[in-house]
Amino acid sequence: MFFSGLVNNRVVQEYERAVIFRLGRLIAGGAKGPGLFFIIPCIDSYTKVDIRTVSFDVPPQEVLTKDSVTVAVDAVVYYRVQNATMSITNVEDSNRSTRLLAATTLRNVLGTKNLSEILSERETISHYMQSSLDEGTDPWGVKCERVEIKDVRLPVQLQRAMAAEAEAAREARAKVIAAEGEQKASRSLKEAAEVLTEAPAALQLRYLQTLNTISAEKNSTIIFPLPIDLLQSFMSRQES
């Protein structure tokens, strides 16, 4: 009974730690928990620290990129307290300080990137932000586990300009492809003409094949076939 009057028992959960101060000084042995621990009334004071992973949304930050484009970027940060004693003794509010540092780091990192890099290198930027945050929060006993960039919002005028540029690029590629197709078709026609010139009978067969194709279709086309020899003699007279 005398012992129970001198000390009070306290319990912290598996995901908590207790930082105890005795007459204003941190007691030896570090944070207590999980489980049962004892404190001396009127002499000891303690603070519970949650060591579970915490996630929070970084508010959208208006960032001026390296190529002078204003974008709004938001992110998600995951962190946890890995040293409960440092999170209490080295910083007033570790959670609030981590959130402010995350917002500042996001603006600083994106300010050194071009718009194209922000849109195409999100994973690289996220890893760089994580290492920067981890280095900044290490004296506070906080471990930054992960950073993810959620959304990059562009001005409406810039979106329209980028859409027009993409459409123009697609039209240019389509024209190039069409020109290449015409070039290949011209070469094929040239080779076919050379073959038909070397074999006159092939021209006759091609003529008959064309008539067969036209006759197979259900249309009102009237065809008057003429012998190719007659056409050749007529053309030779004109040349003479």
Side-chain angles (χ1 to χ4, degrees), residues 12-222:
V12 291
Q13 303 297 328
E14 183 70 27
Y15 54 84
E16 294 177 330
R17 297 294 183 269
V19 180
I20 304 175
F21 294 89
R22 180 163 297 163
L23 296 177
R25 296 184 62 86
L26 184 68
I27 64 172
K32 304 298 182 183
L36 182 67
F37 67 96
F38 301 94
I39 62 171
I40 301 176
C42 302
I43 296 178
D44 293 346
S45 62
Y46 73 97
T47 303
K48 288 184 180 180
V49 179
D50 195 325
I51 60 173
R52 291 177 293 184
T53 299
V54 179
S55 63
F56 70 93
D57 293 328
V58 179
Q61 305 294 314
E62 293 286 341
V63 180
L64 184 65
T65 62
K66 189 177 180 180
D67 50 354
S68 301
V69 178
T70 302
V71 295
V73 183
D74 55 357
V76 182
V77 178
Y78 300 86
Y79 73 95
R80 62 179 174 85
V81 176
Q82 65 177 358
N83 191 317
T85 301
M86 296 175 64
S87 69
I88 296 298
T89 58
N90 291 0
V91 64
E92 180 181 1
D93 189 342
S94 60
N95 290 326
R96 181 173 180 272
S97 300
T98 301
R99 294 169 186 264
L100 293 176
L101 182 61
T104 304
T105 303
L106 179 62
R107 289 195 301 269
N108 293 339
V109 171
L110 297 181
T112 61
K113 303 293 183 179
N114 295 325
L115 178 61
S116 59
E117 295 174 343
I118 295 176
L119 296 176
S120 62
E121 300 179 3
R122 291 192 180 188
E123 186 175 355
T124 303
I125 296 174
S126 297
H127 286 311
Y128 182 76
M129 282 188 58
Q130 177 185 349
S131 61
S132 299
L133 277 175
D134 198 20
E135 181 180 357
T137 58
D138 185 66
W140 305 339
V142 176
K143 171 66 176 178
C144 181
E145 295 182 338
R146 189 171 182 176
V147 177
E148 292 291 341
I149 296 179
K150 289 176 58 178
D151 189 21
V152 179
R153 289 189 291 275
L154 305 177
V156 178
Q157 294 180 352
L158 181 59
Q159 293 180 13
R160 294 174 179 173
M162 293 178 66
E165 181 181 0
E167 184 178 0
R170 288 193 297 269
E171 291 179 356
R173 287 195 298 269
K175 291 180 180 179
V176 170
I177 294 173
E180 292 177 352
E182 292 290 342
Q183 184 179 12
K184 292 179 180 179
S186 300
R187 291 177 180 175
S188 299
L189 290 175
K190 178 183 177 181
E191 294 175 358
E194 293 176 352
V195 172
L196 293 175
T197 303
E198 295 175 357
L203 180 60
Q204 181 70 28
L205 293 175
R206 180 59 181 165
Y207 175 68
L208 295 175
Q209 183 181 7
T210 303
L211 292 178
N212 184 30
T213 303
I214 296 175
S215 63
E217 299 178 357
K218 295 180 179 180
N219 52 36
S220 59
T221 305
I222 300 175

